[in-house]
Amino acid sequence: MFKKVLIANRGEIALRILRACRDLDISPIAIYSELDAGAIHTRLADEAYNVGGGPPSESYLKIPAILDAARRAGAEAVHPGYGFLAENADFARAVIEAGLTWIGPAPEIIAAMGDKTEARRAASDAGVATVPGTPDPVTTAEEVSAFADEHGIPLAIKASAGGGGKGFRVVHSPDEIEDALSGAAREASAYFSSPDVYLERYLERPRHIEVQVLGDSGGSVLSFPERDCSLQRRHQKLIEESPSPALDPHVREAIMEAAARVSKQVGYRNAGTCEFLLDSDGSTFYFLEMNTRLQVEHPVTELVTGIDLVKAQIFVAAGEPLGFDQGDIGLRGHAIECRINAEDPSKKFMPAPGKIGNLEEPSGPGVRVDSGVEAHGTIPQAYDPLMSKLITFGADRDEARRRMLRALGEYVVEGVKTTIPFHSMMLADPRFISGDYHTGTVEREMDLEPLASAPAPQPQPGDAEVADRRFELELDGKRFAVHVREDLEHAVRPRKPTPPESAGAVAGGGSEALTAPMQGTIVKLLVSQGDEVTVGQPILVLEAMKMENSILSHTAGTVEELKVEAGAAVDTGAILAVIR
Ligand code: MV4
């Protein structure tokens, strides 16, 4: 077994992996960005290495810096977690070329499954149904029309390199074809540097069912009972459960077998997930895509099977036997996971980063909290808003549901808005209680208005002014904390600089400069240099904390200069364009 494993991630998943390492007597090594110098994962690791600045592109995505940390620590293996570099085949390859073990599938498999048309081909070759669609990318509106004539409308246009709903468009009528095709291709280029898109028949009210697989070092593939991930919004999952309230045992057996067949077809090793759409008849399912990583929602599977998936990943990577086989993978009881995000559910789930005041996490029978935050900690805007995952287990679905409601009621998060009120509402909703929900339920059928009147508790006076300053020193991966206590009541405090006005206007180059209201990544430009624009016209799309934000013009005039291009990372206040 490995002696040292480097965890190339942050937040709750870094802690989850760190704990699996401890359980295996492996020394966990952390990396951290400047913003995470005092973070829990940084503190709990045996060694922690600063890999750069706050923006992910300067730290958690910086391959050379991460490999350098692994080398300095003498780590033998790298666990990527989810997000960041987890599905980056170049990173996996670089890890292996540096003589380290990659805790995940082979880089070639990551690359192959990253191409959705190739994944669909693998499924077909394995005899598993995919949604009727085009085997190869399409480029012209004529091809889309021809597909519509043959398979009917609605149809879906999807990015070949897609994922997370990026480059995904639904065509409901023939006159939408042109715009949907160019929109999907443009988004695909911006996010995946490839404009390739393909077509599928669009299913109206499917459930999103996924199957965890685990390829062992001997070439067998184990599959696990499904997770139902249909409760999501804008392709961000909110609640997951296992088993699905919609599957009967025969369909379960069939979908688990289908996932194992697709995985075997590609020689899959380590943990992965096959995604399916389950049609509204409750028994027809289609392979959608494969995720070549550990997923956020893996704990629900752990609770109903009793198997530690992260430990299993490490065993497989180390070439050691798992100690269990398909016959040992049962299904006992029911598990539900609620994602606790720093988001305001009454404001369209707007990211709500900031400083946490008091924090009390629930516990008790059937409750597991996988958390990455602590009282008086900060949720930086630079990262994903996931604070923690609340997972409950029960002998049956209603016991798990009631425990969830109890645990949500115990949860106290002061200072930032969270998804907790949404979850309390959803878990008590007749649609959840009956299990009769689908991928459109949250967006199309829920009235979230009542949540607006449930204000988040404010931090107590004094909370935000903790008289405890901490400095972190790092020396060869060993970290030292310096605490300075300060009597704030008697201290002379510098005045806070006035923040720039919210959306766009002012700062920097005078009133003609359009500036970034938040740190993020430019997804696309909607205007060109020389264009005449009106007040409030969208100028570009900026992605921050998994949200796309249209940045609107603060003035009417001519776009004299565009200071950024698609793909650029920008800081708060950066000048985006000059309009006069
Ligand atoms: C679909 C679909 C219906 N029909 N494909 C959205 C993102 C991408 N990963 C797959 N997605 C969908 N593909 C066909 N042919 C509906 C969705 C979809 C969806 C899928 C899973 C979970 C939530 C969803 C929400 C909206 C649409």
Side-chain angles (χ1 to χ4, degrees):
M1 186 44 75
F2 309 118
K3 288 190 188 69
K4 280 187 176 186
V5 167
L6 181 120
I7 303 162
N9 218 301
R10 67 178 302 282
E12 70 86 18
I13 197 61
L15 287 167
R16 169 69 188 88
I17 299 162
L18 183 148
R19 290 178 171 130
C21 288
R22 293 261 180 247
D23 291 346
L24 289 169
D25 234 340
I26 294 169
S27 171
I29 313 299
I31 58 168
Y32 64 96
S33 73
E34 267 159 33
L35 291 174
D36 281 339
I40 318 175
H41 80 277
T42 311
R43 296 203 314 269
L44 291 190
D46 285 348
E47 295 163 46
Y49 294 83
N50 183 335
V51 289
S57 60
E58 293 172 20
S59 49
Y60 296 108
L61 293 174
K62 223 161 99 191
I63 297 176
I66 298 168
L67 293 178
D68 192 51
R71 188 189 52 73
R72 286 169 66 195
E76 302 144 272
V78 174
H79 196 308
Y82 56 69
F84 295 127
L85 295 167
E87 290 176 281
N88 184 315
D90 292 337
F91 181 51
R93 220 170 272 127
V95 164
I96 294 164
E97 275 164 15
L100 306 167
T101 300
W102 169 251
I103 303 177
E108 303 75 50
I109 303 291
I110 299 176
M113 293 295 119
D115 180 337
K116 309 302 162 192
T117 55
E118 204 167 324
R120 278 163 58 81
R121 237 178 329 268
S124 302
D125 291 348
V128 171
T130 55
V131 189
T134 58
D136 295 301
V138 298
T139 51
T140 66
E142 286 69 41
E143 289 170 277
V144 183
S145 297
F147 184 86
D149 290 342
E150 192 187 339
H151 296 276
I153 262 175
L155 63 84
I157 306 182
K158 298 186 172 188
S160 301
K166 302 281 156 55
F168 173 74
R169 290 283 194 287
V170 183
V171 172
H172 293 281
S173 105
D175 53 308
E176 292 171 1
I177 289 177
E178 204 108 21
D179 284 356
L181 181 62
S182 60
R186 192 180 55 230
E187 217 166 282
S189 300
Y191 279 103
F192 315 114
S193 330
S194 155
D196 286 357
V197 297
Y198 65 101
L199 310 176
E200 279 180 7
R201 205 183 85 211
Y202 181 71
L203 311 182
E204 294 278 8
R205 274 155 197 273
R207 294 183 81 111
H208 178 188
I209 305 287
E210 61 183 32
V211 177
Q212 177 74 53
V213 297
L214 185 61
D216 72 13
S217 24
S220 346
V221 175
L222 308 176
S223 66
F224 293 71
E226 80 287 351
R227 297 186 285 255
D228 194 320
C229 308
S230 303
L231 289 173
Q232 53 80 53
R233 191 187 166 277
R234 301 239 175 123
H235 307 292
Q236 299 302 319
K237 294 167 187 165
L238 287 161
I239 301 176
E240 303 96 349
E241 61 178 317
S242 182
S244 167
L247 281 201
D248 74 38
H250 294 105
V251 183
R252 171 166 310 118
E253 201 181 316
I255 205 165
M256 285 172 65
E257 205 218 310
R261 277 214 306 275
V262 175
S263 309
K264 268 195 200 108
Q265 179 72 32
V266 298
Y268 201 88
R269 239 181 81 125
N270 218 299
T273 296
C274 290
E275 288 187 13
F276 297 87
L277 290 181
L278 178 72
D279 217 341
S280 35
D281 66 6
S283 62
T284 312
F285 59 82
Y286 305 96
F287 171 85
L288 206 55
E289 52 192 70
M290 184 164 193
N291 301 319
T292 54
R293 59 164 192 276
L294 179 73
Q295 296 206 209
V296 176
E297 58 272 27
H298 75 276
V300 294
T301 305
E302 297 189 318
L303 294 188
V304 295
T305 60
I307 290 168
D308 184 325
L309 289 168
V310 182
K311 263 167 74 170
Q313 284 191 293
I314 297 172
F315 272 111
V316 170
E320 297 198 12
L322 282 172
F324 58 87
D325 59 24
Q326 191 66 50
D328 299 312
I329 302 176
L331 167 59
R332 184 179 146 260
H334 199 101
I336 303 174
E337 172 177 283
C338 289
R339 296 193 187 192
I340 313 301
N341 296 337
E343 291 173 340
D344 185 348
S346 73
K347 294 214 176 74
K348 300 183 167 179
F349 291 81
M350 272 274 287
K355 194 158 167 45
I356 303 171
N358 195 22
L359 176 74
E360 286 167 38
E361 290 172 342
S363 65
V367 173
R368 166 171 166 184
V369 185
D370 279 20
S371 175
V373 296
E374 60 190 332
H376 310 295
T378 302
I379 302 158
Q381 188 187 256
Y383 309 120
D384 191 284
L386 182 73
M387 298 166 65
S388 72
K389 304 178 310 204
L390 174 57
I391 313 111
T392 58
F393 176 81
D396 57 25
R397 187 169 185 266
D398 208 51
E399 188 172 59
R401 187 185 71 86
R402 283 165 182 275
R403 283 175 166 169
M404 182 62 81
L405 282 167
R406 178 244 300 166
L408 288 165
E410 282 180 26
Y411 223 129
V412 176
V413 184
E414 289 180 347
V416 297
K417 300 267 192 181
T418 74
T419 46
I420 292 169
F422 164 80
H423 290 306
S424 297
M425 179 189 215
M426 192 74 226
L427 271 282
D429 190 282
R431 283 160 287 208
F432 188 84
I433 296 171
S434 67
D436 189 14
Y437 60 81
H438 52 84
T439 51
T441 300
V442 179
E443 257 158 302
R444 299 205 298 264
E445 298 178 2
M446 293 289 289
D447 173 17
L448 302 177
E449 200 53 43
L451 297 176
S453 54
Q458 290 306 302
Q460 297 304 304
D463 269 5
E465 318 250 351
V466 202
D468 186 17
R469 293 204 179 175
R470 264 181 138 119
F471 299 90
E472 314 285 337
L473 298 178
E474 175 199 316
L475 218 61
D476 284 335
K478 304 285 186 238
R479 302 177 59 270
F480 303 90
V482 181
H483 285 199
V484 180
R485 294 206 65 92
E486 210 181 324
D487 183 351
L488 285 180
E489 257 191 87
H490 300 105
V492 181
R493 242 165 284 139
R495 269 170 58 87
K496 276 191 193 147
T498 354
E501 260 173 56
S502 57
V506 305
S511 66
E512 64 274 17
L514 179 72
T515 59
M518 61 193 94
Q519 179 184 64
T521 305
I522 306 296
V523 177
K524 62 189 166 206
L525 299 174
L526 304 169
V527 298
S528 311
Q529 204 167 321
D531 283 3
E532 294 290 326
V533 297
T534 55
V535 181
Q537 180 175 336
I539 302 298
L540 50 81
V541 179
L542 175 69
E543 189 193 58
M545 290 187 97
K546 289 191 164 186
M547 278 265 296
E548 285 193 14
N549 306 276
S550 287
I551 305 302
L552 314 177
S553 183
H554 55 291
T555 181
T558 309
V559 180
E560 292 207 340
E561 251 186 293
L562 279 167
K563 299 273 201 189
V564 292
E565 51 191 48
V570 296
D571 282 324
T572 307
I575 298 177
L576 305 172
V578 177
I579 301 171
R580 84 172 116 215

